[in-house]
């Protein structure tokens, strides 16, 4: 078995930003293990991607209990890769996981109850072979559980040593402020919010980025490529075999690939080409653009190959936009009913 030794220049490639008002720092681009790290993908390819990511300074690895397929397998595969390759660098890695979406049958395999969150965290740690994660998130708001109970579970995860920090995901502006106030009173501040955000899914601009700035929280934007729509894969209107739409992955709905959405994607692609970027690179650059105190801390990208990872990382070199470019982008960057995460959560408050 080959012995992995990390590149000694790994911290020379990326900028690192503080996560809100905390001492936690994250690379401008982070690796999400949502789609490409289950048992349906080559394990050796997963090893190559993770090793290359770390060599390029991407030390933030984001998971959830239900990532796969099957659910849990992404955490298991990361655990295998930690044991073989990256475990010796655990102190450098920021490994995050979540609980909230369905993991199995019964009332305590989903939601925001103390029972589900803490038992799920224990199982996540066992799958990864870890004593702690760096951030544990409530993956979604749960209208059937008091917010105080969910926040107390996050607080306990931290004070018990199973997590270094606590975060929330897909909470609206009002709930974010309420959750932050509860956690502040408990003495375990929320350090990060993880919302979906892309050119075709701009809901965070309607109060959430202001809320996170006011609450001194970092922002980890997921799905900056709009579940793959903001790539060159669908420009001709067809559905390539192996794409998320083509294999019916749960991150897609039938109404996403409409003529109207494709017109917007093609308009954005023309601007990207004028900037000397691929559409995917521009989409990531745009999410990371300077918005003052409302600037996104890091964007999560997936990668099905080392080459795709390297191409995505080039986006961090071009996060500046002219006013004219931003106006042109706004003509096409319109909410397109692709936010699949609201359907099973509380309201957008």
């Amino acid at each position: 078995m080959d012995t992995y030794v990390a590149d000694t220049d790994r911290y020379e490639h990326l900028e690192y930003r503080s996560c809100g008002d905390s001492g936690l720092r994250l690379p401008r681009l982070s690796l999400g293990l949502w789609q490409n790290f289950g048992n349906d993908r080559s394990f050796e390819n997963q090893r190559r991607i993770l090793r290359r990511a770390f060599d390029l300074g991407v030390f933030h690895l984001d998971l959830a209990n239900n990532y796969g397929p099957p659910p849990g397998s992404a955490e298991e595969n990361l655990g295998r890769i930690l044991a073989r390759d990256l475990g010796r660098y655990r102190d450098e890695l920021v490994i995050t996981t979540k609980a909230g979406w369905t993991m199995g049958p019964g009332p305590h395999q989903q939601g925001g109850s103390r029972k589900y969150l803490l038992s799920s965290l224990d199982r996540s740690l066992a799958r990864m072979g870890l004593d702690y994660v760096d951030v544990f998130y409530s993956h979604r708001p749960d209208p059937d559980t008091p917010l105080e109970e969910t926040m107390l579970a996050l607080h306990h995860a931290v004070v018990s040593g199973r997590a270094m920090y606590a975060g929330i995901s897909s909470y609206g502006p009002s709930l974010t402020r309420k959750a932050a106030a509860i956690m502040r009173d408990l003495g375990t501040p929320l350090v990060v919010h993880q919302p979906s955000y892309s050119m075709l899914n701009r809901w965070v601009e309607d109060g959430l980025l202001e809320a996170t700035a006011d609450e001194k929280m970092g922002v980890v934007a997921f799905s900056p490529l709009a579940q793959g729509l903001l790539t060159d894969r669908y420009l001709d209107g067809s559905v390539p075999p192996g794409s998320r739409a083509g294999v019916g992955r749960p991150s897609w709905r039938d109404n996403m690939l409409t003529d109207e959405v494709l017109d917007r994607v093609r308009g954005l692609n023309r601007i990207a080409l004028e900037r000397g970027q691929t559409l995917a690179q521009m989409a990531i650059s745009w999410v990371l653009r300077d918005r003052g105190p409302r600037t996104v801390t890091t964007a999560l990208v997936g990668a099905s190959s080392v080459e795709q990872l390297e191409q995505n990382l080039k986006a961090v070199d071009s996060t500046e936009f002219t006013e004219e470019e931003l106006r042109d982008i706004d003509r096409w960057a319109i909410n397109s009913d692709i936010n699949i995460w609201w359907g099973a959560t509380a309201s957008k408050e």
Side-chain angles (χ1 to χ4, degrees):
M1 183 173 65
D2 60 324
T3 300
Y4 169 68
V5 178
D7 192 322
T8 56
D9 295 328
R10 56 189 175 276
Y11 293 109
E12 303 301 319
H13 303 281
L14 291 173
E15 176 190 359
Y16 303 96
R17 289 201 170 184
S18 295
C19 196
D21 208 24
S22 74
L24 181 65
R25 302 189 70 194
L26 300 176
R28 290 292 273 150
L29 214 59
S30 301
L31 185 62
L33 277 63
W34 177 23
Q35 292 286 340
N36 299 297
F37 291 84
N39 290 347
D40 61 335
R41 301 300 176 97
S42 162
F43 177 70
E44 288 304 317
N45 190 50
Q46 295 176 33
R47 288 183 70 197
R48 286 191 291 271
I49 293 169
L50 284 169
R51 287 160 56 147
R52 182 60 175 154
F54 190 60
D55 281 343
L56 293 173
V58 181
F59 57 78
H60 174 206
L61 309 176
D62 180 78
L63 300 101
N65 58 353
N66 63 332
Y67 289 177
S73 59
E75 290 179 331
E76 289 173 352
N77 288 329
L78 175 62
R80 295 167 65 192
I81 294 168
L82 288 170
R84 293 191 186 193
D85 301 315
L86 295 175
R88 73 187 70 180
Y89 303 104
R90 175 64 184 100
D91 290 349
E92 299 179 44
L93 294 168
V94 173
I95 299 174
T96 67
T97 197
K98 320 173 198 71
W101 294 102
T102 302
M103 272 296 284
H108 297 127
Q109 290 292 291
Q110 62 177 313
S113 70
R114 178 184 178 92
K115 176 172 176 57
Y116 175 50
L117 293 184
L118 294 177
S119 61
S120 176
L121 176 55
D122 286 342
R123 290 194 298 272
S124 290
L125 293 173
R127 283 190 286 265
M128 292 185 282
L130 297 176
D131 297 322
Y132 69 93
V133 291
D134 295 280
V135 180
F136 182 52
Y137 290 90
S138 166
H139 206 166
R140 65 176 180 95
D142 177 9
D144 298 320
T145 300
L147 183 62
E148 291 80 4
E149 179 177 341
T150 300
M151 294 304 107
L152 274 166
L154 294 182
H155 168 69
H156 185 72
V158 173
V159 299
S160 67
R162 286 121 106 185
M164 294 289 188
Y165 301 93
I168 55 177
S169 178
S170 296
Y171 282 55
S174 177
L175 276 179
T176 293
R177 293 181 187 275
K178 291 175 183 177
I182 293 169
M183 292 294 278
R184 194 162 45 244
D185 288 345
L186 290 170
T188 303
L190 290 174
V191 303
V192 62
H193 192 302
Q194 188 177 132
S196 59
Y197 184 34
S198 74
M199 289 175 164
L200 301 179
N201 180 19
R202 301 181 64 168
W203 73 278
V204 302
E205 297 173 8
D206 189 19
L208 180 62
L209 293 179
E210 182 179 359
T212 53
D214 290 346
E215 299 295 342
K216 309 298 184 186
M217 297 168 64
V219 175
V220 176
F222 75 87
S223 202
L225 302 184
Q227 293 90 267
L229 278 171
L230 292 170
T231 67
D232 60 7
R233 305 197 77 178
Y234 306 100
L235 291 174
D236 64 358
S238 64
V239 178
S243 67
R244 293 196 200 180
V247 299
R249 285 188 174 269
S251 57
W252 272 78
R253 287 195 306 234
D254 291 340
N255 65 340
M256 286 185 180
L257 206 60
T258 64
D259 290 340
E260 186 177 12
V261 171
L262 283 171
D263 283 344
R264 294 169 186 167
V265 171
R266 292 179 185 122
L268 292 168
N269 185 60
R270 288 192 290 271
I271 300 171
L273 293 176
E274 291 171 0
R275 282 173 51 87
Q277 291 183 294
T278 66
L279 176 56
Q281 288 167 347
M282 185 181 77
I284 297 167
S285 298
W286 181 87
V287 165
L288 295 174
R289 72 196 186 282
D290 186 3
R291 293 175 55 84
R294 294 176 293 170
T295 300
V296 167
T297 309
T298 183
L300 288 174
V301 296
S304 60
S305 66
V306 167
E307 293 75 21
Q308 186 180 58
L309 171 71
E310 292 173 345
Q311 285 297 310
N312 285 339
L313 281 171
K314 292 179 181 179
V316 301
D317 299 326
S318 304
T319 59
E320 294 185 2
F321 291 81
T322 67
E323 290 299 321
E324 182 179 1
E325 286 174 330
L326 291 173
R327 284 194 299 270
D328 288 343
I329 287 170
D330 281 341
R331 291 179 53 208
W332 305 104
I334 299 170
N335 279 319
S336 300
D337 191 29
I338 65 168
N339 190 347
I340 64 173
W341 296 277
W342 284 120
T345 67
S347 68
K348 296 184 183 181
E349 66 173 88

